[in-house]
């Protein structure tokens, strides 16, 4: 095995940002913070982050397709084609301290 990609609750960016038709501004801030701290997000990413942090739902439909493209859960076939081992951790496994919204492991 050359590399392993672990998938957790954060693997679905769309659900992390907007699960159950609820905008998760806190999750957006947690995910965007390191990007701003370590570099400069692209103009497109900055726009999507701004939409999600605004708390307004009128432009969420602009973010969801963008988030879907970047969700690891939507990249499994591509990762597997490159012989990357993709594993899924059990909900009983120890979870990161910053669990995605709605996750009560």
């Amino acid at each position: 095995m050359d590399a392993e990609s672990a998938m957790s609750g954060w693997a679905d960016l769309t659900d992390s940002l907007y699960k159950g038709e609820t905008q998760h501004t806190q999750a957006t801030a947690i995910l965007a913070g390191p990007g701003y701290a370590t570099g400069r997000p692209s103009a497109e990413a900055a726009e999507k982050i701004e939409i999600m942090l605004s708390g307004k739902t009128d432009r969420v439909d602009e973010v969801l397709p963008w988030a879907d493209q970047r969700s690891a859960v939507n990249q499994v076939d591509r990762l597997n084609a490159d012989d990357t081992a993709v594993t899924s951790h059990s909900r009983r496994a120890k979870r990161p301290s910053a669990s995605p919204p709605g996750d009560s492991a």
Side-chain angles (χ1 to χ4, degrees):
M1 175 184 326
D2 293 332
E4 179 178 334
S5 173
M7 298 186 51
S8 72
W10 289 103
D12 190 334
L13 182 59
T14 305
D15 271 359
S16 295
L17 299 178
Y18 193 72
K19 185 174 185 174
E21 296 189 19
T22 301
Q23 198 167 357
H24 299 288
T25 53
Q26 218 172 15
T28 303
I30 290 168
L31 290 169
Y36 282 104
T38 61
R40 189 178 68 224
S42 69
E44 180 183 28
E47 176 189 20
K48 304 307 183 200
I49 292 165
E50 184 179 323
I51 291 168
M52 294 309 292
L53 289 176
S54 74
K56 298 176 184 174
T57 59
D58 60 332
R59 294 183 61 201
V60 169
D61 289 340
E62 296 174 38
V63 177
L64 302 182
W66 175 85
D68 278 340
Q69 289 176 340
R70 285 153 182 81
S71 295
V73 296
N74 296 326
Q75 303 296 324
V76 173
D77 290 338
R78 185 181 61 76
L79 291 168
N80 284 338
D82 293 335
D83 294 324
T84 301
V86 178
T87 62
S88 178
H89 296 285
S90 166
R91 292 181 73 67
R92 293 187 179 133
K94 186 175 180 181
R95 303 289 293 182
S97 59
S99 295
D103 189 21
S104 57

